[in-house]
Amino acid sequence: MDFRIDALLPATATQLWEIFFDVKRVATLIPGCENVEEVEKLKVFSAVMRQKIGPFKLDVPTRIDIESYEIERQVSLKAAGRDKATGTTIDVGMVVNLEEQRDGDEVLCKLDVSASMQVAGRLASLGYPIVRKRSEQLFAEFEARLRAELANLDGGRSAEPQAELATTAAGTPVRDRAPRPPASSQAARTAGVAPASAPRSGGATELVFLWPRLGINVAAALGVAHGAVALGQSPWWWLAAPLLGVAASLGKRAD
């Protein structure tokens, strides 16, 4: 069985590479992947894949071998494991390509994943269509989780206060300089009179959509809805998940 992910993501090649080679981090993006360990640095990894496919519950200790890689551009790997309870063996070959692109001032990265999987044993008795459908669901959920992870990165950068980036004419960061009190306050203290408090202005708060977070969140929500419905959950997921994605994209703008 062959599978393919071809996606254009709001990230740099460096950001995606750091995610893929942080074993603890990438494990959270792969459905059912647990106990990931780096056996030999950037060469051999171990993990346990836990999945339920049809009537079978699989617990597959897996060895992952990095065959070759080119930093921030390509990685080729193989993974193999066997579930003792069902005698099922799974062999996967995968090539991941990263290609950084620009759209005006925005940096994007094309993620191209080609994978080939062979299944033998009792799981294979379910038939090609069922195994393939479940595998496609897992790939779709991985992509949705990856997009959500990148959305969190973008949100963290957007939340950085602009004041932190401001500098004086001499190049000294504003945050490193102690603020001077107003001249009127200095004069009042000199005269022994407490300065009058400045009136507080009440500003209105407006809810706005944060771009491009809206598109990313809705895309991730549709992926989640697809997986949920495919696993037999209520069709209401098609309505609820996108609404949650839209709600998660709202932010406050103070006047």
Side-chain angles (χ1 to χ4, degrees):
M1 291 179 285
D2 296 326
F3 303 92
R4 183 87 178 261
I5 294 178
D6 189 356
L8 196 59
L9 302 172
T12 65
T14 299
Q15 288 172 325
L16 287 177
W17 189 262
E18 288 176 351
I19 290 174
F20 290 155
F21 276 90
D22 183 339
V23 293
K24 301 299 183 183
R25 188 176 181 186
V26 77
T28 65
L29 307 181
I30 303 174
C33 184
E34 300 177 11
N35 303 332
V36 179
E37 299 292 342
E38 188 175 43
V39 179
E40 188 176 350
K41 188 171 180 61
L42 295 182
K43 286 187 177 181
V44 182
F45 300 84
S46 66
V48 176
M49 291 297 297
R50 292 188 170 95
Q51 296 292 334
K52 185 177 186 304
I53 304 178
F56 299 125
K57 289 185 178 181
L58 303 178
D59 194 335
V60 186
T62 305
R63 175 188 169 104
I64 305 165
D65 291 281
I66 305 298
E67 296 189 312
S68 64
Y69 66 89
E70 185 178 352
I71 295 176
E72 298 181 7
R73 291 187 62 86
Q74 186 186 78
V75 60
S76 175
L77 61 91
K78 283 188 175 180
R82 181 178 183 274
D83 176 57
K84 293 181 179 180
T86 64
T88 297
T89 59
I90 299 176
D91 292 277
V92 178
M94 184 179 298
V95 178
V96 179
N97 289 291
L98 302 177
E99 181 184 348
E100 197 167 288
Q101 302 178 359
R102 285 190 173 272
D103 183 6
D105 294 333
E106 186 178 8
V107 179
L108 303 170
C109 191
K110 181 181 179 182
L111 172 66
D112 182 82
V113 180
S114 299
S116 177
M117 182 171 69
Q118 294 181 346
V119 179
R122 291 181 62 188
L123 180 61
S125 66
L126 287 176
Y128 174 87
I130 294 177
V131 176
R132 180 177 182 84
K133 181 179 179 180
R134 179 55 179 154
S135 300
E136 288 175 343
Q137 291 170 356
L138 296 177
F139 272 79
E141 187 173 347
F142 168 77
E143 182 180 348
R145 292 185 182 187
L146 177 59
R147 288 185 178 276
E149 177 77 4
L150 294 174
N152 290 335
L153 290 178
D154 182 70
R157 289 195 300 270
S158 301
E160 182 178 359
Q162 292 298 317
E164 292 292 319
L165 304 178
T167 59
T168 64
T172 304
V174 172
R175 62 177 179 271
D176 292 336
R177 301 183 61 189
R180 295 183 178 179
S184 58
S185 298
Q186 289 180 339
R189 280 196 295 271
T190 302
V193 179
S197 300
R200 295 183 179 179
S201 58
T205 300
E206 179 183 0
L207 290 178
V208 296
F209 287 116
L210 303 177
W211 300 94
R213 189 183 300 178
L214 175 62
I216 295 172
N217 285 349
V218 171
L222 289 173
V224 172
H226 174 78
V229 174
L231 291 173
Q233 301 297 317
S234 170
W236 282 102
W237 273 94
W238 286 115
L239 176 62
L243 289 177
L244 290 174
V246 171
S249 305
L250 288 173
K252 294 181 180 181
R253 181 175 65 191
D255 294 336

